[in-house]
Amino acid sequence: MTKEQKNDVIEVLKDKFSQYNNFYVTNTESLTVAQVSQLRRVCFDKQVEMKVAKNTLIKKALESLDAEKYAGVYEALNNVTALMFSENPKEPAVIISSFRSASKGEKPVLKAAFINGDIYVGDNQLAALTKIKTKNELIGEVIGLLQSPAKRVLSALLNKDEANGAAAAEEAPAAVEAAAPEVAPEAPAAEAAPEAPAAE
């Protein structure tokens, strides 16, 4: 690889690290070509970008962006490295776990994960990463919590209105009866007096 090609790879990696807040550093060594292709397909289907690169180039890309921010990732850059970039913080962990279960193997191995500024090192972090809440899940939970008391208040108000409505309906006939004035029976029309005889 020429110096120019290396610089091109570093620039591509820098773009990816800048674009995504979440990336996983994995070891895909000992996977067959067919398995790597299958893993790429699964990643593509789940909107996870997978890139294989040399550790020295990955480190240079990270250092040129923010050496301190990514310092905890450097120790994971050894052996064969495949990077997984994702908007969803737990999707790569789910993919790795599912892939292992399907192939009954131990690869890919999680070397490190960078999740919204936090760094998780070691394969023993994988189970915890599959349970991370996504932004949308957290928002959904907050909305649910906010809606719950509101729903209870609305329900109480509706039940109160219904109870008041039923009581009012029962009271209405009695109120109407009480309010209606008693009508006196009509007096018989006075009998007309006999007409006086006309004067002659």
Side-chain angles (χ1 to χ4, degrees):
M1 188 180 280
T2 66
K3 187 176 181 181
E4 189 177 335
Q5 288 172 324
K6 287 179 182 178
N7 287 336
D8 288 343
V9 171
I10 290 170
E11 287 305 313
V12 168
L13 290 172
K14 280 169 67 177
D15 286 344
K16 293 301 171 194
F17 289 128
S18 300
Q19 181 185 347
Y20 292 96
N21 288 325
N22 312 301
F23 65 86
Y24 284 55
V25 182
T26 67
N27 180 355
T28 54
E29 194 174 8
S30 81
L31 288 180
T32 66
V33 174
Q35 284 177 315
V36 171
S37 296
Q38 185 186 351
L39 183 60
R40 282 183 185 279
R41 268 197 305 278
V42 173
C43 287
F44 180 80
D45 291 342
K46 299 287 185 179
Q47 297 179 327
V48 173
E49 285 197 54
M50 183 176 158
K51 296 222 171 280
V52 177
K54 290 188 174 181
N55 294 311
T56 51
L57 302 181
I58 295 169
K59 188 175 181 183
K60 282 181 181 177
L62 291 171
E63 284 176 337
S64 65
L65 287 171
D66 191 330
E68 285 185 31
K69 181 180 177 181
Y70 299 110
V73 176
Y74 303 150
E75 64 186 77
L77 299 175
N78 51 61
N79 302 318
V80 176
T81 298
L83 299 167
M84 292 181 174
F85 298 94
S86 175
E87 293 289 348
N88 184 320
K90 71 177 180 182
E91 198 64 67
V94 173
I95 289 171
I96 292 168
S97 295
S98 301
F99 190 86
R100 284 189 192 176
S101 297
S103 63
K104 296 178 182 176
E106 296 177 359
K107 296 287 175 79
V109 172
L110 175 66
K111 296 194 282 186
F114 183 90
I115 310 292
N116 295 316
D118 294 322
I119 297 170
Y120 301 81
V121 179
D123 195 63
N124 59 338
Q125 300 289 331
L126 188 64
L129 289 170
T130 61
K131 294 170 187 168
I132 281 181
K133 300 281 185 186
T134 65
K135 186 178 177 181
N136 288 341
E137 286 171 340
L138 289 171
I139 290 171
E141 285 184 5
V142 169
I143 289 171
L145 289 170
L146 292 173
Q147 283 180 340
S148 186
K151 281 180 181 172
R152 282 201 294 270
V153 170
L154 282 171
S155 177
L157 288 172
L158 288 171
N159 288 339
K160 184 180 175 187
D161 286 347
E162 284 172 12
N164 288 346
E170 286 173 13
E171 289 170 10
V176 169
E177 284 172 18
E182 286 187 19
V183 180
E186 282 188 22
E191 289 181 11
E195 286 185 16
E200 290 181 3

